[in-house]
């Protein structure tokens, strides 16, 4: 939700890092955001679960990637 919420507001995500345990928004806002990005008309709980697990896996890989490191500066901006 932390990433999707910022992406929806068109914030720059290049220097954002997920913070486990940080609570942002309400349960209702989180669910609405997930349903919007899941792109299914009426997703089941299983589809939402699969979507969040897949997205979480990809974002963890992205945060650990040397190409997405803030240390590189703007060399790979938006990568």
């Amino acid at each position: 939700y932390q990433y999707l919420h910022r992406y929806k507001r068109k914030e720059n995500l290049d220097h954002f890092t997920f913070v486990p345990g940080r609570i942002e928004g309400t349960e209702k806002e989180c669910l609405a955001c997930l349903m919007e990005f899941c792109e299914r008309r009426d997703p089941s709980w299983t589809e939402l679960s699969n979507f969040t697990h897949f997205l979480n896996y990809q974002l963890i890989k992205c945060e650990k990637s040397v190409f997405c490191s803030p240390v590189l500066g703007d060399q790979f901006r938006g990568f």
Side-chain angles (χ1 to χ4, degrees), residues 3-69:
Y3 271 100
L4 294 177
H5 183 66
R6 284 166 176 76
Y7 178 78
K8 185 176 177 179
R9 294 188 327 214
K10 300 185 185 326
E11 291 183 22
N12 183 349
L13 299 174
D14 288 345
H15 299 287
F16 175 73
T17 303
F18 171 72
V19 181
R22 178 187 288 170
I23 297 173
E24 295 182 6
T26 65
E27 292 89 351
K28 186 177 179 178
E29 291 170 330
C30 180
L31 183 57
C33 186
L34 290 175
M35 290 180 69
E36 178 182 344
F37 283 96
C38 184
E39 296 189 358
R40 299 285 298 185
R41 176 166 276 209
D42 187 20
S44 67
W45 284 111
T46 302
E47 289 170 323
L48 282 175
S49 177
N50 289 340
F51 170 70
T52 57
H53 285 287
F54 173 77
L55 183 60
N56 188 53
Y57 177 78
Q58 295 299 317
L59 291 171
I60 288 170
K61 294 293 231 179
C62 179
E63 285 187 355
K64 291 181 180 180
S65 171
V66 67
F67 297 107
C68 298
S69 172

Side-chain angles (χ1 to χ4, degrees), residues 68-79:
C68 298
S69 172
V71 175
L72 294 176
D74 287 340
Q75 293 179 15
F76 296 101
R77 187 169 186 223
F79 183 72

